[in-house]
C-alpha cells in the first residue's frame, strides 16, 4: 500500500528488474459428488486437482502464452498467480515477485488482471472512461498529471483516433470489439503495473483483430513489463511473438519455454509437427486427454504423462528451478513493484463514482426517458380508465378512491423495480470487476447509484402526481398534493432499493424481478389494509404489517384523501345508518378502516421515511455479502 | 507483421527415448467402426450455382423493434444502400462430395447457405440461378430434397436421443412405413451417427444436463438424416466443439458423403487436421470466390500464384487471413480489398474453361476424390429410399396423426421436466397459503364483507399474473424450434396448435387445484358444495383466459420482452376494468366496453354471485345490527347485471377468442425467434 512516495524515481530504479517466479503451485477443490436431492452421494466428497505443481519463471520484457484445451486449468492458473482464487479449495505453493513472497493483500496491488469480458460503461467516451479510472486510482495526482497519463496510455494502445467516441453497447454502435478490449487493457495500464495478466484476450475477436491485440501486448511487454495471457487456438503467425509458451493439460504444466525450444522439445519426444499445420493446435491436441472412451482416455493420459516426465527431466525445467532458487536467495536487494496507487479518501471516491454514473446516464437517452416516462404512462393508464372521481357513495366514491390509493402504491413501486432491473445489472458487473482491481468497494458504487437516482425519482414521482392528481380529481388542496407526492415517493424508491438489495445477492435479473414483484404484492396485501382490514387479520400478520412500508404510506394517502371529505348517497346528503351508504363523510371511513390514523400522521411520515435509510443500509449489507459471494 | 515468416529449425537427435516415438500414432483415432450403416440410395444429386450475384440491404435486416429502441422513425427504416454480398459465384457439387465453405467472418458463408436453402431475407438475387438437379431451387423443392442443419441445436431438452428421433420419424416418414420399419430407420441413423452409447440419455440444454455438445450436434444431424435426404447442408457444424469432437464430427460428415450424399458445410477457422478431411473447399472473401477446388491442392494453387504457405502454418488460417479485408484503417482497407479483388480475378481467369469451376492441378488430370469412392459402396439399399418426387408429400402423415405425435411429444417433454413442475407447484402452494392464512377466518368467524370481496378479487387476479410470465417465457424458449420445424415442413400449424393447447391442460388443471382449493378452505368461503365447484370452475376459466392471452401475445410479438410487456399491459387493463378497483358504473364509454372483454370482471362477478347469493351478513353500525342479504352486496358492486351462466359463457367465449387469435398469429406471424434483444 505504501508503494509510491515518489513515482518517478521509483520507476527508474525498477528498470528491467522485475521477475516473477511461481513455485509448485497446486490447487485442489473438494466437491460434492451428487446433486442435493441424492442424499447419499451428496455427502460424499471427492478431491479434484485443478493445478498440480506448476512452476515457471519470467522476467521483465517477456510475454508468455498459456495454451491448453478447455478445462486444462489455464484460467485457474492465472487466478492463482494473481491471488484471486477463492476460499473453496486449497492452494499450495508460492508466488514470488522479485524474490519476495507476496502477502495475501498485496496481490491486488501488484498484478493487473484483464478479464475475458469487457465491462465498461457504454455511454462514456474512451477518454472519459480512462480519466475516471485514473481519478479513482491516482487521485493524489494533479489534474494535469492524470490527463497526461491518460493521453500516454491511449497512445500506447493506439486508441487516440477513438478517444472521443462513446464505447457503445449491445443496441447502439460505438467502438469496435477490438478497441473495446484495448480500452479494458488501457484501464489497467493507468496504474502502471509491472505484471499484467489477461484471460483469453482474443476470444470473440476475428483473426486480424486478435493478432493485432497480441502484437500490442508483446509491444507492452517489451517496455519492461511482464505479460501473461491465456489463449485459445492462437494463429500460427503469433508463434514468434511469444517469448514463452506454456502448455497446460489436466492442471499440469506440460511444457514451458520459448517457441524454438518447444519445437525441438517435442521433436525430441518423437512428435514432429507435420507440415502445414499449426504447431499450437498440434501440440495442444497432442497433450490433451481424450475422454470419449475409457481406452482412449488411458492412452492419451499416459502420453501426456510421458511428455510431462520428459519435460521435468529437461534442461529448461532444471534451469527454471535454478532461477527460482537464485531469485529467492537474492531477495533482499529488490522491492516489490507495486502498481501506482494513491488511495483517495472514501468520500472523494464516492464523488468520482457519482460523477461517472451521472455522465453515463446523461447520454443514455432511452434510460432517461424510461426513468421519467414509466410513471407518467402508468398514471395516464389509470386516468384513462377512471377519468374522474365521484363524491356519491353509490357511484363508487369510497371504492374508486381506495382503488386509486392502491394503484399509486403498487404502480410506483413496480416502476421502481423495472428501472432497477433494466439499468443496474450492467453497473453491477462493472462494480464487481473494478472492486476486484481494488479501485473501490462495491457498496460505494451502489451508493453513488442510489444518489444519482434520487433526483430522477423525485422528478418522475412529481410528473406522476401531476398527471394523475388533478385530472382524476383527488383532494385539490395544494398541501395535500404535497403530502401525496411525499407519500408516493417512498414506495417508488423502495421498489428500486428493494430490487437493488436483492440484486446484490441474486444474480439473475429475471428471478429478481419476479421475486420482488411478488414481495411488493405481499406487502400490499398485508400492510395496506385496503385488501384485508388490519384489525381482523391474524395476529402474526398484524405484526408483520408493521415492517411493511405500505402500511404507513397507505395510511397517509387514505387520510390525505378522505379527511374532511363529504359524501352523498344517491344524490342526497346521507344521514348514515343506511346499509348502502355506511359513511357520510371521510372521517367516518378513516375511523372504521384505520382507527386512530388521524393522530398518527406525523408518526407515519417519520416511519415511512425511516424506511429509506434502513433500506439503504440493507442494500450496503447485501453488497457486503456480495463481496463474499463473488470472491470465488 | 510478416505472416510468411516461418521458423527455421536445426534437427537434433532425440533426447528422450523414454517417450514413445510412434510418429504414426494418430492424434485423432476415429471410432474403429468405419462401416456405413445407412447409405443414400436415391438418384445422385447435383447442386449448381451459376453466376450468382446477390445484394443485401443491411438496414432492412435489423428487426423493427430494434430500430424503435434506437429511436428511428418508421420513415427512416428502409434507407440504406444495397451492398453486394455475393459476386458472380459459380459452384457445382455432386453426390458423394463434401464441400466446405471457408472464409473470414462477413465473407458470406452463411448468406450463401441461406440463399441455397431459400431462407434469405432482406436481399435479392441480382442475376444468376441456383439449380438443384437442373431445376430452379424453390422453397418447395428445398423442403423436399435438402436437409438444413442449423448452427444452434433446437431440440426438446427433456426427451432422450432415441425418443427425439422416433417422434421426428413418426412425423417425417411416409405413412406406408410400418412401426418396425420406422424403428429400424431410427436405429440405423443412431448407428450411423455413433449415438448408441447415449441413445437413452436426455438431450439437455444449457440449463439441464444431457448429452455432450458434440453429441447434441450429431442428434441435430440425425434428425435431418432420418428422412434420408440426398443433400445435407450444415451451417457451422463445429463451432463450440472441442478439437476431438469437431474432428470426429467432420469424419462423420465425410463418411456421410461417401454414402452417396452431397454435403455442404460452412466453417469458420477450420483447424489443420479438419482441413485435411475436406474434399472440396470454397474460399470466399466479401462474396468473391478466391479458391474453389480440392482441399489438398489449395496450397499448390496459391504457391503457383505466388503465395506459398509457411511450413508451420495452417493453410486454412493462412489463406483466410490473406484474403480477409482489414478495416483497421482506410489505407489497409483499400490495400486488402485490392488484393482480394485481384486474387478473385486470377482465380476466375484460371477456371473459366472448366464446367465445374474447380481448379485442378494441370499436369496430371487428377480426378475428384468423390465419384470413385461412391461407386465402390456396396449398394444394398436397406429399404426403399424416399424419392424426391412430387407426389411424395401425399404419403406423409396427415393432420390427425401429426396431432397425436405432437401431443405425445409435448406431454413427454413437459412431464420429464420435474424441476420446473415442482417450482410451479411450489409457487402455487406458497401463494395459496399466504392468501389463505391472511384471510384465515378466526374461530369460525365469518370474514367481513369488504374482506371477502377483496379476497375474491385478489384470488382471481394474482394467479393470472404469475401464469402470464411463465407461459410467455416458455413459449419463447420453444419458438426457435417451432420456427425451424414449420419451415422444414415437419408438420403444419393446425396440429401444433391443438397439441399445444391440449397438452397444456393437465398442468393447468393441477395448478388451479393447488392454488384455488387451499384458499377456499382456509378462508372459510361459502360452505355449499355446489358453490365450491362453481367457484373452482370460474377460477379455472379465468386462469385459462390469461393463459390463452399469454399464448397469443407470445406468438404475435417477436421478443420475450415485448411479449411480456404487452401482456402485462393487457392484464392491467383487464385488472382496472375488473369491477373492484374502479366501480363498473363509473367507467366512461371506452373502458366500459373494454370491461366486457375483461376476463377478470366476469370471473369476479361470477364468484361474487356464487359466494353471496344465499348468504346473509350482519354488520354493526352504531350498535345497531343490520342484516344485509347477500343480494344487496352483489348489487352494490354492480355484479348482478348478468346472470351467473352469462359469466361462464362469456369467459368461455373470451378464452376461445384468445385461442383463435393465437391460432391466427401462429399461422400468419413468422415465429422467427430473437431471444436476445
Amino acid at each position: 500500500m505504501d508503494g509510491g512516495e515518489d513515482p518517478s524515481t521509483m520507476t527508474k530504479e525498477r528498470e528491467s528488474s522485475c521477475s516473477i517466479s511461481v513455485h509448485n503451485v497446486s490447487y485442489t477443490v473438494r466437491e460434492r459428488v451428487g446433486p442435493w436431492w441424492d442424499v447419499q452421494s451428496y455427502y460424499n466428497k471427492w478431491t479434484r486437482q485443478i493445478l498440480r505443481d506448476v512452476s515457471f519463471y519470467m522476467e521483465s520484457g517477456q510475454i508468455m502464452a498459456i495454451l491448453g484445451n478447455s478445462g486444462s486449468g489455464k484460467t485457474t492458473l492465472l487466478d492463482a498467480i494473481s491471488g484471486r482464487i477463492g476460499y473453496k479449495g486449497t492452494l499450495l505453493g508460492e508466488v514470488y515477485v522479485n524474490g519476495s513472497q507476496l502477502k495475501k493483500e498485496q496481490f491486488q496491488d501488484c498484478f493487473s488482471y484483464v478479464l475475458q469480458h469487457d465491462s465498461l460503461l457504454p455511454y462514456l467516451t474512451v477518454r472519459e472512461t480512462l480519466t475516471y479510472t485514473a481519478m479513482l486510482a491516482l487521485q493524489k495526482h494533479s489534474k494535469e498529471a492524470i490527463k497526461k497519463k491518460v493521453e500516454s496510455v491511449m497512445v500506447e494502445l493506439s486508441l487516440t483516433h477513438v478517444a472521443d467516441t462513446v464505447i457503445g453497447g449491445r443496441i447502439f454502435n460505438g467502438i469496435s470489439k477490438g478497441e473495446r478490449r484495448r480500452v479494458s487493457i488501457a484501464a489497467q495500464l493507468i496504474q502502471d503495473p509491472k505484471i499484467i495478466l489477461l484471460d483469453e484476450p482474443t476470444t470473440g475477436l476475428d483473426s486480424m483483430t486478435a493478432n493485432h491485440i497480441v502484437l500490442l501486448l508483446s509491444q507492452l511487454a517489451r517496455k519492461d513489463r511482464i505479460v501473461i495471457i491465456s489463449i485459445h487456438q492462437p494463429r500460427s503467425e503469433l508463434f514468434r511473438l511469444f517469448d514463452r509458451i506454456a502448455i497446460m493439460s489436466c492442471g499440469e504444466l506440460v511444457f514451458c519455454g520459448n517457441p524454438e525450444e518447444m519445437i525441438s522439445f517435442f521433436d525430441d519426444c518423437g512428435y514432429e509437427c507435420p507440415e502445414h499445420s499449426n504447431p499450437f493446435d498440434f501440440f495442444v491436441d497432442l497433450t490433451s486427454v481424450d475422454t470419449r472412451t475409457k481406452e482412449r482416455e488411458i492412452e492419451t493420459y499416459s502420453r501426456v504423462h510421458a511428455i510431462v516426465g520428459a519435460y521435468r527431466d529437461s534442461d529448461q525445467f532444471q534451469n527454471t528451478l535454478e532461477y527460482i532458487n537464485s531469485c529467492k536467495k537474492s531477495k533482499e536487494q529488490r522491492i516489490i513493484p507495486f502498481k501506482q496507487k494513491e488511495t483517495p479518501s472514501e468520500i472523494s471516491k464516492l464523488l468520482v463514482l457519482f460523477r461517472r454514473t451521472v455522465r453515463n446516464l446523461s447520454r443514455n437517452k432511452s434510460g432517461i426517458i424510461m426513468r421519467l416516462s414509466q410513471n407518467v404512462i402508468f398514471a395516464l393508464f389509470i386516468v384513462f380508465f377512471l377519468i374522474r372521481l365521484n363524491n356519491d357513495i353509490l357511484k363508487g366514491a369510497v371504492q374508486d378512491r381506495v382503488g386509486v390509493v392502491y394503484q399509486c402504491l403498487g404502480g410506483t413501486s413496480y416502476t421502481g423495480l423495472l428501472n432497477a432491473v433494466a439499468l443496474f445489472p450492467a453497473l453491477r458487473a462493472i462494480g464487481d470487476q473494478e472492486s476486484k482491481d481494488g479501485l473501490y468497494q462495491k457498496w460505494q458504487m451502489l451508493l453513488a447509484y442510489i444518489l444519482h437516482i434520487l433526483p430522477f425519482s423525485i422528478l418522475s414521482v412529481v410528473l406522476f402526481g401531476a398527471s394523475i392528481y388533478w385530472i382524476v380529481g383527488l383532494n385539490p388542496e395544494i398541501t395535500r398534493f404535497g403530502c401525496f407526492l411525499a407519500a408516493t415517493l417512498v414506495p417508488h424508491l423502495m421498489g428500486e432499493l428493494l430490487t437493488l438489495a436483492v440484486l446484490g445477492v441474486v444474480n439473475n435479473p429475471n428471478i429478481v424481478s419476479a421475486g420482488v414483484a411478488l414481495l411488493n404484492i405481499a406487502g400490499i396485501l398485508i400492510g395496506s389494509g385496503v385488501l384485508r382490514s388490519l384489525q381482523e387479520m391474524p395476529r402474526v400478520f398484524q405484526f408483520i404489517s408493521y415492517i411493511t412500508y405500505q402500511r404507513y404510506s397507505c395510511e397517509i394517502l387514505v387520510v390525505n384523501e378522505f379527511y374532511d371529505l363529504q359524501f352523498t348517497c344517491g344524490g342526497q346528503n346521507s344521514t348514515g345508518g343506511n346499509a348502502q351508504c355506511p359513511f357520510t363523510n371521510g372521517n367516518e371511513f378513516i375511523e372504521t378502516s384505520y382507527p386512530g390514523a388521524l393522530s398518527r400522521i406525523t408518526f407515519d411520515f417519520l416511519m415511512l421515511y425511516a424506511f429509506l435509510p434502513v433500506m439503504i443500509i440493507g442494500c450496503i449489507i447485501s453488497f457486503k455479502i456480495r463481496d463474499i459471494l463473488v470472491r470465488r | 507483421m510478416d505472416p510468411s515468416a516461418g521458423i527455421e529449425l536445426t534437427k537434433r537427435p532425440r533426447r528422450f527415448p523414454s517417450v514413445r516415438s510412434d510418429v504414426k500414432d494418430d492424434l485423432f483415432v476415429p471410432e474403429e467402426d468405419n462401416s456405413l450403416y445407412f447409405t443414400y440410395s436415391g438418384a445422385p444429386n447435383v447442386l449448381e450455382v451459376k453466376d450468382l450475384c446477390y445484394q443485401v440491404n443491411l438496414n432492412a435486416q435489423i428487426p423493427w423493434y430494434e430500430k424503435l429502441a434506437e429511436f428511428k422513425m418508421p420513415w427512416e427504416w428502409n434507407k440504406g444502400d444495397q451492398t453486394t454480398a455475393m459476386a458472380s459465384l459459380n459452384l457445382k457439387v455432386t453426390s458423394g462430395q463434401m464441400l466446405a465453405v471457408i472464409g473470414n467472418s462477413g465473407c458470406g458463408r452463411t448468406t450463401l447457405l441461406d440463399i441455397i436453402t431459400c431462407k434469405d431475407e432482406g436481399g435479392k438475387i441480382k442475376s444468376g440461378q441456383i439449380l438443384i438437379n437442373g431445376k430452379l431451387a424453390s422453397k418447395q423443392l428445398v423442403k423436399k430434397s435438402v436437409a438444413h442443419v442449423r448452427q444452434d441445436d433446437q431440440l426438446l431438452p427433456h426427451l432422450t436421443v432415441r425418443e427425439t428421433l422416433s417422434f421426428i420419424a413418426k412425423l417425417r416418414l411416409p405413412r406406408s412405413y410400418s412401426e418396425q420399419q420406422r424403428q429400424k430407420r431410427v436405429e440405423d441413423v443412431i448407428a450411423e451417427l455413433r449415438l448408441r452409447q447415449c441413445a437413452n440419455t436426455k438431450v439437455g440444454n444449457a440449463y439441464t444436463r444431457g448429452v455432450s455438445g458434440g453429441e447434441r450436434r450429431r442428434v441435430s444431424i440425425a434428425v435431418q438424416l432420418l428422412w434420408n435426404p440426398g443433400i445435407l447442408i450444415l451451417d457451422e457444424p463445429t463451432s463450440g466443439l472441442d478439437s476431438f469432437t469437431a474432428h470426429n464430427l467432420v469424419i462423420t460428415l465425410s463418411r456421410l458423403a461417401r454414402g452417396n450424399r452431397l454435403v455442404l458445410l460452412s466453417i469458420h477457422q477450420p483447424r489443420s487436421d479438419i482441413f485435411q478431411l475436406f474434399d472440396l473447399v470454397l474460399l470466399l472473401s466479401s462474396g468473391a470466390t478466391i479458391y474453389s477446388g480440392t482441399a489438398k491442392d489449395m496450397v499448390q494453387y496459391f504457391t503457383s500464384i505466388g503465395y506459398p504457405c509457411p511450413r508451420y502454418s495452417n493453410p486454412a488460417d493462412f489463406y483466410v487471413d490473406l484474403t480477409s479485408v482489414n478495416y483497421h484503417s482506410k489505407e489497409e482497407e483499400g490495400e486488402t480489398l485490392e488484393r482480394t479483388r485481384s486474387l478473385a480475378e486470377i482465380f476466375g481467369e484460371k477456371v473459366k474453361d472448366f464446367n465445374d469451376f474447380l481448379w485442378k492441378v494441370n499436369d496430371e488430370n487428377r480426378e475428384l476424390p468423390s465419384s470413385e469412392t461412391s461407386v465402390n459402396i456396396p449398394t444394398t439399399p436397406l429399404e426403399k429410399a424416399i424419392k424426391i418426387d412430387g407426389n411424395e408429400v401425399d404419403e406423409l402423415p396427415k393432420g390427425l396423426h401429426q396431432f397425436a405425435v405432437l401431443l405425445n411429444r409435448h406431454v413427454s417433454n413437459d412431464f420429464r421436466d420435474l424441476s420446473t413442475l415442482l417450482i410451479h407447484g411450489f409457487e402455487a402452494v406458497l401463494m395459496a397459503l399466504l392468501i389463505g392464512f391472511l384471510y384465515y377466518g378466526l374461530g369460525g368467524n365469518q370474514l367481513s364483507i369488504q374482506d371477502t370481496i377483496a379476497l375474491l378479487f385478489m384470488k382471481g387476479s394474482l394467479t393470472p399474473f404469475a401464469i402470464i410470465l411463465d407461459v410467455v417465457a416458455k413459449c419463447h424458449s420453444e419458438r426457435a424450434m417451432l420456427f425451424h420445424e414449420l419451415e422444414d415442413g415437419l408438420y403444419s400449424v393446425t396440429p401444433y396448435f391443438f397439441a399445444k393447447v391440449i397438452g397444456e391442460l393437465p398442468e393447468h388443471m393441477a395448478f388451479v387445484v393447488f392454488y384455488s382449493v387451499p384458499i377456499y378452505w382456509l378462508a372459510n368461503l361459502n360452505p355449499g358444495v355446489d358453490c365450491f365447484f362453481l367457484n373452482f370452475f370460474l377460477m379455472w376459466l379465468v386462469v385459462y383466459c390469461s393463459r390463452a392471452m399469454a399464448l397469443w401475445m407470445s406468438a404475435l410479438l417477436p421478443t420475450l420482452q415485448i411479449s411480456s410487456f404487452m401482456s402485462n399491459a393487457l392484464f392491467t387493463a383487464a385488472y382496472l376494468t375488473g369491477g373492484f378497483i374502479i366501480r363498473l358504473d363509473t367507467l366512461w364509454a371506452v373502458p366500459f366496453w373494454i370491461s366486457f372483454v375483461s376476463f377478470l370482471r366476469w370471473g369476479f362477478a361470477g364468484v361474487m354471485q356464487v359466494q353471496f347469493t344465499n348468504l346473509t351478513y350482519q354488520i354493526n353500525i352504531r350498535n345497531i345490527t343490520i342484516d344485509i342479504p347477500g343480494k344487496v352486496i352483489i348489487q352494490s358492486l354492480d355484479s348482478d347485471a348478468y346472470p351467473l351462466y352469462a359469466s361462464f359463457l362469456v369467459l368461455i367465449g373470451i378464452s376461445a377468442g384468445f385461442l383463435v387469435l393465437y391460432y391466427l398469429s401462429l399461422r400468419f406471424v413468422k415465429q422467427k425467434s430473437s431471444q436476445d434483444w
Side-chain angles (χ1 to χ4, degrees), chain B residues 220-284:
Chain B
S220 288
I221 298 172
V223 163
Q224 295 293 341
L225 207 58
L226 269 179
W227 57 284
N228 207 359
I231 303 175
L232 204 55
I233 292 183
L234 304 101
D235 195 3
E236 301 272 343
T238 60
S239 65
L241 302 184
D242 72 66
S243 55
F244 292 109
T245 328
H247 187 89
N248 265 312
L249 183 68
V250 177
I251 287 183
T252 307
L253 291 176
S254 90
R255 196 175 54 230
L256 289 178
R258 277 190 291 128
N260 204 22
R261 295 188 180 85
L262 192 165
V263 178
L264 187 63
L265 66 146
S266 75
I267 195 161
H268 171 74
Q269 281 205 16
R271 303 159 58 100
S272 24
D273 53 277
I274 287 177
F275 182 74
Q276 279 150 16
L277 295 173
F278 297 145
D279 310 334
L280 299 175
V281 166
L282 172 68
L283 174 56
L284 289 178

Side-chain angles (χ1 to χ4, degrees), chain A residues 170 207 235 237 239 263-264 272 276 285 292 296 384 387 394-396 399-400 406 531-533, chain B residues 7 9 11-12 27 243 248 269 271 311 313 321 438-439 451 454 575 580 583 586 588 637 677:
Chain A
R170 209 148 35 117
S207 59
R235 292 292 179 113
E237 297 98 280
F239 201 82
I263 300 269
S264 59
E272 196 182 350
H276 297 316
D285 289 342
R292 274 173 308 144
R296 285 288 294 156
F384 172 77
I387 299 297
L394 290 186
K395 291 192 177 146
Q399 191 186 355
D400 291 359
Y406 170 77
L531 298 166
R532 176 72 165 118
S533 66
Chain B
I7 291 159
L9 279 173
K11 288 241 168 180
R12 281 177 300 150
L27 277 185
S243 55
N248 265 312
Q269 281 205 16
R271 303 159 58 100
R311 185 181 183 305
S313 219
D321 285 351
L438 187 63
Y439 289 94
D451 286 346
Y575 186 73
F580 176 74
R583 270 182 78 101
T586 57
W588 64 288
L637 277 164
W677 207 25

Side-chain angles (χ1 to χ4, degrees), chain A residues 171, chain B residues 62-71 674 676-677:
Chain A
I171 306 175
Chain B
I62 306 169
W64 57 268
Y65 45 90
E66 284 190 11
K67 290 176 187 159
L68 273 189
E70 282 181 75
F71 296 102
S674 36
D676 39 13
W677 207 25

Side-chain angles (χ1 to χ4, degrees), chain A residues 562-594:
Chain A
F562 282 95
Y563 183 61
D564 275 350
L565 190 74
Q566 293 297 324
F567 295 129
T568 56
C569 188
Q572 342 105 37
N573 277 347
S574 72
T575 44
N578 188 335
Q580 287 195 327
C581 306
F583 314 112
T584 54
N585 57 37
N587 297 10
E588 282 177 28
F589 173 76
I590 295 170
E591 274 314 307
T592 3
S593 310
Y594 302 89

